[in-house]
């Protein structure tokens, strides 16, 4: 489980950190496109790319989805807590009390050391103070109006997570001020913020929905705080100015990539193991590695490997012990179609194998078998910069049964986000 958490931190930190860096670049930069897309005669290209450069898009395309997913996921909080109780029931560590402030320590350390940032001291302090005020008011206001009990029952101020909101606020501050240096500044900052949120769940102090909403509040509060400061100071107090090098994007470049993604599994099937046992699946998590080599701009060959978990509901009875892990590996054709210079839609058709380890469900012994699986899916891809892309995806997989007593297949729908390195 610790490996899964570590990989999740890397995926989420890389995804948000890289996208936050792009938001900074887009606010001050233009990009030059070579190849077919450079003609500039396609109005839909200009519209799509212009929308992704607006301040509203930059301020909300991370925070709003986090809050929305947190609200939707709230119905599944108890299931995620069951997973926590199964894998780490006695876990407790106080390091999250300190990691929430770590990006701030790095920010002020670099500033004190004389490393140039986006803003001079005065403008930066005002921006950060506004962000902190907004975040504190929203978080504390919700805590004292929703009165949701914490998982450990210590009090009724669980929603949203203040630690996570603070961590993502400080990570956004660091990325806005120093993200121009390298995308790894944002990767590191948001990895620490993600780890802080996961620790709050592992410490049994927060539900998963508390953490997701807290993260969104932290990001949006900082964006709004900096927006207000920008209106106040205008062009005054900028240390590095608005100059950026022009990025060259080759529109005709093949979109070959290697990506990491995380998704949520949703139940689509119910089947009978035998005459007395009816089994259906509940939500779970998938972490995967996806790679594809494109022969041209549109068609490629690739593969995907995943590690997943699901919860089984046996005879309409849900129990924490009814969980199991499985892994898949598959290969097949990939298709990519450009909508604009930065936006693409993609699809794939994969065939491979699924492995079920030995597991006990109720009084049944299942698993320890390999079965055939086929899957398809689609994605919306956004070119963050010439060698990095982010995307939203959904997959539909049909995989063989985990029991020799049944011939009924598992139908699995997975949706999530992916970040990929282009090569």
């Amino acid at each position: 489980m610790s490996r899964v958490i570590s990989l999740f931190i890397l995926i989420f930190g890389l995804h948000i950190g890289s996208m936050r860096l792009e938001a900074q670049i887009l606010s001050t930069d233009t990009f030059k496109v070579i190849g077919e897309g450079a003609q500039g005669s396609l109005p839909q290209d200009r519209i799509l790319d212009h929308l992704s450069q607006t301040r509203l898009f930059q301020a909300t395309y991370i925070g709003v989805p986090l809050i929305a997913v947190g609200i939707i996921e709230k119905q599944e909080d108890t299931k995620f807590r069951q997973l926590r109780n199964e894998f780490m029931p006695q876990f407790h560590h106080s390091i999250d009390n300190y990691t929430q402030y770590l990006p701030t320590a790095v920010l002020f350390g670099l500033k004190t050391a004389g490393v140039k940032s986006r803003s001079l001291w005065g403008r930066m302090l005002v921006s950060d103070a506004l962000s902190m005020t907004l975040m504190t008011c929203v978080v504390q206001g919700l805590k004292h109006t929703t009165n949701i009990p914490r998982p450990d029952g210590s009090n009724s101020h669980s929603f949203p997570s203040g630690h996570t909101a603070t961590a993502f606020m400080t990570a956004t501050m660091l990325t806005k001020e120093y993200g121009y240096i390298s995308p790894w500044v944002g990767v590191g900052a948001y990895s620490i913020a993600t780890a802080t949120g996961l620790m709050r769940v592992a410490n049994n102090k927060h539900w998963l929905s508390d953490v997701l909403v807290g993260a969104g509040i932290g990001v949006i509060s900082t964006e709004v705080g900096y927006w207000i400061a920008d209106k106040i100071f205008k062009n005054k107090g900028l240390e590095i100015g608005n100059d950026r090098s022009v990025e060259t994007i080759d529109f005709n470049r093949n979109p070959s990539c290697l990506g990491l993604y995380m998704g949520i599994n949703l139940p689509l099937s119910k089947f009978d193991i035998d005459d007395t046992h009816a089994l259906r699946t509940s939500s779970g998590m998938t972490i995967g590695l996806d790679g594809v080599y494109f022969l041209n701009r549109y068609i490629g060959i690739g593969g995907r490997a995943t590690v997943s978990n699901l919860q089984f509901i046996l005879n309409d009875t849900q129990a924490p012990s009814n969980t199991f892990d499985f892994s898949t590996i598959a290969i097949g054709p990939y298709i990519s179609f450009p909508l604009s210079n930065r936006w693409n839609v993609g699809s794939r058709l994969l065939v491979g194998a699924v492995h079920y380890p030995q597991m006990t469900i109720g009084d049944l012994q299942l698993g320890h078998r390999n079965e055939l699986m086929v899957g398809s899916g689609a994605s919306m891809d956004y070119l963050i910069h010439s060698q990095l892309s982010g995307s939203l995806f959904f997959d539909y997989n049909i995989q063989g049964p985990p029991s020799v007593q049944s011939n009924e297949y598992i139908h699995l729908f997975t949706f999530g986000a992916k970040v990929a390195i282009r090569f």
Side-chain angles (χ1 to χ4, degrees):
M1 185 64 178
S2 61
R3 293 180 181 178
V4 172
I5 291 176
S6 299
L7 185 56
F8 171 72
I9 293 171
L10 176 60
I11 294 172
F12 199 79
L14 184 59
H15 178 65
I16 295 182
S18 301
M19 295 184 82
R20 296 306 309 149
L21 172 64
E22 175 63 8
Q24 283 184 266
I25 294 175
L26 287 176
S27 65
T28 56
D29 192 18
T30 59
F31 56 88
K32 178 174 66 178
V33 181
I34 61 177
E36 185 177 325
Q39 297 174 1
S41 59
L42 300 177
Q44 67 270 24
D45 290 3
R46 294 184 176 182
I47 293 173
L48 285 171
D49 291 328
H50 174 72
L51 288 175
S52 63
Q53 295 180 50
T54 62
R55 187 67 180 262
L56 179 61
F57 179 86
Q58 298 164 30
T60 58
Y61 79 129
I62 294 297
V64 169
L66 283 170
I67 294 174
V69 171
I71 294 173
I72 295 171
E73 188 278 332
K74 197 159 188 62
Q75 304 177 64
E76 307 293 324
D77 273 342
T78 55
K79 295 178 181 178
F80 280 96
R81 183 170 181 252
Q82 289 169 355
L83 293 176
R84 178 263 176 198
N85 291 341
E86 178 180 352
F87 287 102
M88 49 180 67
Q90 303 301 322
F91 182 89
H92 177 73
H93 204 294
S94 61
I95 191 172
D96 50 330
N97 292 327
Y98 308 100
T99 55
Q100 62 178 320
Y101 302 115
L102 187 55
T104 301
V106 175
L107 171 63
F108 283 93
L110 291 172
K111 192 68 173 175
T112 303
V115 181
K116 289 186 177 182
S117 65
R118 174 185 186 269
S119 312
L120 293 171
W121 273 107
R123 181 168 179 155
M124 186 184 78
L125 291 175
V126 171
S127 301
D128 294 349
L130 289 169
S131 303
M132 186 175 299
T133 301
L134 290 169
M135 184 276 295
T136 302
C137 290
V138 174
V139 168
Q140 293 303 318
L142 287 173
K143 280 182 177 292
H144 290 85
T145 54
T146 57
N147 294 318
I148 294 177
R150 294 183 185 271
D152 64 357
S154 58
N155 61 46
S156 297
H157 302 312
S158 184
F159 181 84
S161 170
H163 282 65
T164 308
T166 300
F168 275 83
M169 177 191 70
T170 59
T172 306
M173 290 175 179
L174 177 59
T175 305
K176 291 185 78 68
E177 293 294 340
Y178 286 105
Y180 77 93
I181 295 177
S182 168
W184 292 103
V185 172
V187 170
Y190 284 105
S191 294
I192 292 170
T194 303
T196 301
L198 290 175
M199 289 287 288
R200 299 304 288 169
V201 176
N203 280 325
N204 209 26
K205 288 294 184 181
H206 282 288
W207 307 99
L208 181 61
S209 60
D210 302 340
V211 168
L212 291 171
V213 174
I217 291 172
V219 173
I220 293 177
S221 296
T222 310
E223 286 291 344
V224 174
Y226 269 76
W227 177 79
I228 295 173
D230 289 347
K231 292 296 183 181
I232 295 173
F233 287 92
K234 300 188 183 300
N235 292 325
K236 299 178 181 179
L238 291 172
E239 186 170 17
I240 61 172
N242 290 331
D243 295 332
R244 295 287 190 276
S245 59
V246 175
E247 180 185 6
T248 300
I249 297 177
D250 186 355
F251 186 73
N252 290 313
R253 181 179 178 181
N254 296 346
S256 301
C257 62
L258 178 64
L260 295 169
Y261 71 90
M262 188 192 75
I264 296 177
N265 301 322
L266 296 179
L268 293 177
S269 60
K270 179 179 181 179
F271 57 94
D272 298 331
I273 297 178
D274 52 35
D275 293 337
T276 59
H277 295 89
L279 195 67
R280 62 187 175 92
T281 56
S282 185
S283 56
M285 184 176 71
T286 293
I287 291 179
L289 180 67
D290 186 280
V292 55
Y293 177 77
F294 275 85
L295 305 175
N296 53 47
R297 198 172 70 180
Y298 303 100
I299 301 175
I301 300 294
R304 184 183 67 199
T306 65
V307 176
S308 308
N309 69 355
L310 282 174
Q311 183 178 37
F312 272 139
I313 300 175
L314 184 63
N315 293 336
D316 293 323
T317 301
Q318 182 175 314
S321 59
N322 290 355
T323 57
F324 76 104
D325 300 328
F326 61 91
S327 57
T328 66
I329 185 168
I331 60 173
Y334 284 64
I335 297 174
S336 178
F337 183 80
L339 297 178
S340 74
N341 296 324
R342 290 186 179 267
W343 294 91
N344 296 283
V345 291
S347 184
R348 54 200 166 273
L349 177 63
L350 302 176
V351 179
V354 55
H355 172 71
Y356 300 102
Q358 186 70 41
M359 59 185 140
T360 301
I361 300 179
D363 57 352
L364 299 175
Q365 293 291 326
L366 304 178
H368 195 59
R369 55 192 276 116
N370 299 313
E371 287 287 342
L372 180 69
M373 65 84 63
V374 295
S376 183
S379 63
M380 174 67 77
D381 309 315
Y382 177 64
L383 188 61
I384 297 172
H385 60 71
S386 58
Q387 294 182 313
L388 196 67
S389 64
S391 63
L392 299 176
F393 73 88
F394 68 85
D395 291 317
Y396 175 66
N397 298 323
I398 303 174
Q399 52 196 55
S403 168
V404 294
Q405 291 93 348
S406 175
N407 292 321
E408 299 184 39
Y409 282 66
I410 293 178
H411 296 252
L412 193 63
F413 178 81
T414 305
F415 71 93
K418 180 179 73 173
V419 62
I421 299 173
R422 296 285 185 98
F423 60 86

